[in-house]
Amino acid sequence: MTAASLNPCNSTPPPAGPHGPVAQGTEHIPGADDMHNPVPAYVKACLDDRARQPRYSANVRDGDPRFTRNSLSPELQRMALIAALATMLAGCSVLPEGRAVATIPAPATYRLPPPPAMGPAITRSPETRQCISQLSQQRVSFTPVPDQMFDGGCTQLGSVRLTAINLSEATRGGDMLAISNIGPVKCELAQRFAGWAQFGVARAAEQMLGSPLVRIETMGSYSCRTIAGSARMSQHAHANAIDIAAFVLADGRRITVKQGWNGSAQERAFLRTVHASACKRFGTVLGPEYNSAHHDHLHVDMSSQGTCR
């Protein structure tokens, strides 16, 4: 007897009677067309056996990659796929190592570097404060300069930087007199220079040259150096001297010390007049007749030498 013969699904059904197959032991399925729809026992056994068999044959399973030895069922595969997708979505909020979430940075705060140290600051003296107040009353445009002491014995103490001088009360010409190329000067020197420009130079320009004065050109003021050909410190090293090179008129003429000192009679008279006026206001005045180093400018300072050359 073979295995197939033992399987009722492969056996020949018994002869049918007038009401269907006749077999020992029958069952009925409720809800059939008649009240008693007998189901032969061998049919029921066949159905039960088929239910226990896989849906795919061995040949199909062996040739289909979905049915490998370690494969999961399709239902379990779908569940595993859903779980993997959920894990990936949850991991989207975590960036790989070494990366950061892009955020808008807070505005940076930038601080300007401090100015280079040029020596200890010194408190202004009462005399300097009084001088600055008087200079303001002269209607002079200026900016106070912080007190400083430099290497080599040079200083800027009680100094200001001149920009313009008001001439409205001194002449009939322009209201403001420009001062070019001038650096820090001691307040007392600035006060004397403003008075000389208003009442000595501006008036002389109108009376002797016939045109208002609009600008005084200088060769500078503060310079940390010694006197030319000497080891002594210059008054320039203490912001206590000014070198004047030229005078510019409203009609465009420019009277220079270098060319005008020995220029026309009118220019010569004008330059010698302002030189003499300077000697009445400053401690020292040096011009082309002093030495060759001053052939192109008038040097004025507040030293106590009392030299007028």
Side-chain angles (χ1 to χ4, degrees):
M1 181 177 296
T2 64
S5 62
L6 296 177
N7 188 347
C9 295
N10 296 330
S11 62
T12 303
H19 297 286
V22 178
Q24 293 181 352
T26 61
E27 295 183 6
H28 70 276
I29 301 175
D33 291 338
D34 52 54
M35 295 296 295
H36 301 283
N37 183 18
V39 178
Y42 84 93
V43 174
K44 182 176 183 302
C46 179
L47 293 176
D48 294 340
D49 182 66
R50 288 182 182 273
R52 288 191 297 271
Q53 292 181 2
R55 296 175 58 189
Y56 300 92
S57 64
N59 293 336
V60 174
R61 294 199 307 272
D62 293 342
D64 194 330
R66 295 177 299 170
F67 295 95
T68 59
R69 183 179 300 273
N70 297 324
S71 296
L72 299 174
S73 66
E75 291 77 7
L76 292 179
Q77 289 181 6
R78 285 194 294 271
M79 294 176 63
L81 178 60
I82 293 174
L85 289 175
T87 303
M88 292 174 61
L89 291 175
C92 289
S93 61
V94 180
L95 294 178
E97 183 179 358
R99 298 189 180 182
V101 177
T103 57
I104 300 176
T109 301
Y110 298 98
R111 295 181 179 179
L112 294 176
M118 301 176 65
I122 300 176
T123 304
R124 286 198 176 97
S125 64
E127 293 78 12
T128 298
R129 292 196 295 268
Q130 181 179 3
C131 176
I132 289 176
S133 176
Q134 294 174 350
L135 192 61
S136 300
Q137 296 174 7
Q138 290 181 252
R139 303 178 68 183
V140 176
S141 297
F142 67 94
T143 302
V145 177
D147 290 348
Q148 296 288 339
M149 296 184 66
F150 303 93
D151 293 338
C154 299
T155 60
Q156 288 180 5
L157 304 180
S159 301
V160 299
R161 188 183 297 271
L162 294 173
T163 55
I165 299 172
N166 191 295
L167 298 179
S168 59
E169 298 180 1
T171 67
R172 300 187 303 272
D175 290 338
M176 298 301 294
L177 173 65
I179 311 297
S180 66
N181 197 40
I182 192 169
V185 294
K186 279 185 173 292
C187 181
E188 185 182 1
L189 175 61
Q191 192 175 12
R192 296 290 184 94
F193 182 84
W196 174 66
Q198 289 171 326
F199 302 103
V201 183
R203 287 184 177 178
E206 280 198 84
Q207 295 173 5
M208 303 179 69
L209 302 176
S211 180
L213 182 68
V214 295
R215 184 170 70 251
I216 295 179
E217 296 178 355
T218 79
M219 297 175 67
S221 52
Y222 172 79
S223 178
C224 189
R225 61 178 177 83
T226 60
I227 298 174
S230 171
R232 290 188 301 156
M233 296 300 294
S234 169
Q235 290 297 313
H236 287 285
H238 304 292
N240 201 32
I242 303 173
D243 291 338
I244 300 99
F247 305 90
V248 180
L249 307 178
D251 61 10
R253 281 181 292 170
R254 182 170 177 266
I255 312 300
T256 66
V257 175
K258 183 177 180 179
Q259 297 177 350
W261 191 261
N262 294 315
S264 66
Q266 191 180 45
E267 292 175 341
R268 292 173 53 153
F270 169 74
L271 290 176
R272 282 163 174 77
T273 297
V274 298
H275 179 276
S277 175
C279 290
K280 298 177 182 179
R281 294 178 180 271
F282 302 100
T284 297
V285 178
L286 306 175
E289 294 184 359
Y290 177 64
N291 59 20
S292 60
H294 295 80
H295 72 285
D296 58 354
H297 67 276
L298 300 179
H299 169 97
V300 298
D301 67 47
M302 291 303 297
S303 64
S304 58
Q305 296 179 3
T307 303
C308 179
R309 298 280 300 275

